[in-house]
């Protein structure tokens, strides 16, 4: 009887571990942290992005079309280099900038509604790229 109870417990623990494993597995993609850019009095919309290993915060930025953007970028302290890249010439958004500890500013004006990915393309040797590790996000340009 005691042995049977033990077996039940062991089975229970294994089941829980399996479930936890599945939950963790689904948790791989970074949670979305969205930010609606603030349109300042000077008709600029301002947003900030912080990059780190391996994330951008926020990773979804909502911008209004045809209003100039001032995007302040910086990275968390650390020796791992990061950058931020957008290649959306159809929307007037093209940049490839290193992220420094001190904030730097990127200026552009989104000219087309749509979703445009941004990411870090750094990669160490044969390891996954930072983008693959979760360093990506989206600029969402809306009316
Ligand atoms: Cu990176």
């Amino acid at each position: 009887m005691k042995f049977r109870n033990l077996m039940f417990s062991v089975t229970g623990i294994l089941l829980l571990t399996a479930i936890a494993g599945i939950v963790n597995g689904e948790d791989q993609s970074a949670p979305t942290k969205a930010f609606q850019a603030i349109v300042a009095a000077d008709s600029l919309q301002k947003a900030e992005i912080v990059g780190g290993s391996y994330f951008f915060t926020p990773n979804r930025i909502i911008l209004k079309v045809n209003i100039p953007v001032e995007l302040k970028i910086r990275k968390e302290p650390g020796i791992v280099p990061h950058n931020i890249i957008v290649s959306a010439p159809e929307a007037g958004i093209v940049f490839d900038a290193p992220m420094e500890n001190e904030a730097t500013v990127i200026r552009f004006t989104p000219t087309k509604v749509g979703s445009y990915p941004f990411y870090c393309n750094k990669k160490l040797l044969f390891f996954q790229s930072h983008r693959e590790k979760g360093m990506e996000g989206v600029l969402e340009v809306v009316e």
Side-chain angles (χ1 to χ4, degrees):
M1 209 45 179
K2 265 192 170 169
F3 179 69
R4 223 187 126 149
N5 283 343
L6 179 68
M7 283 311 286
F8 270 120
S9 306
V10 169
T11 311
I13 290 165
L14 288 177
L15 258 179
L16 282 178
T17 311
I19 291 165
I22 290 163
V23 170
N24 277 339
E26 283 173 351
D27 209 19
Q28 291 277 314
S29 66
T32 302
K33 286 161 266 177
F35 178 76
Q36 166 84 57
I38 298 154
V39 180
D42 50 5
S43 298
L44 264 181
Q45 44 187 341
K46 297 183 180 185
E48 282 186 46
I49 299 182
V50 177
S53 299
Y54 297 93
F55 61 87
F56 286 111
T57 304
N59 57 7
R60 181 167 170 261
I61 293 187
I62 300 144
L63 301 168
K64 287 205 182 289
V65 70
N66 294 326
I67 296 177
V69 176
E70 219 177 76
L71 181 63
K72 201 184 262 187
I73 59 161
R74 69 179 171 85
K75 79 173 180 73
E76 288 208 319
I79 55 162
V80 181
H82 295 296
N83 60 18
I84 182 166
I85 297 173
V86 177
S87 182
E90 70 276 24
I93 316 170
V94 178
F95 56 81
D96 177 345
M99 296 187 108
E100 313 282 358
N101 290 333
E102 285 84 45
T104 52
V105 172
I106 297 170
R107 291 181 178 84
F108 60 90
T109 302
T111 56
K112 193 173 169 228
V113 168
S115 289
Y116 309 103
F118 61 86
Y119 60 94
C120 172
N121 75 348
K122 297 287 181 189
K123 180 172 164 44
L124 181 64
L125 303 172
F126 48 82
F127 293 103
Q128 284 184 309
S129 69
H130 292 191
R131 184 181 198 178
E132 286 168 320
K133 290 184 186 182
M135 271 196 97
E136 63 181 349
V138 67
L139 297 178
E140 209 170 299
V141 180
V142 298
E143 279 293 336

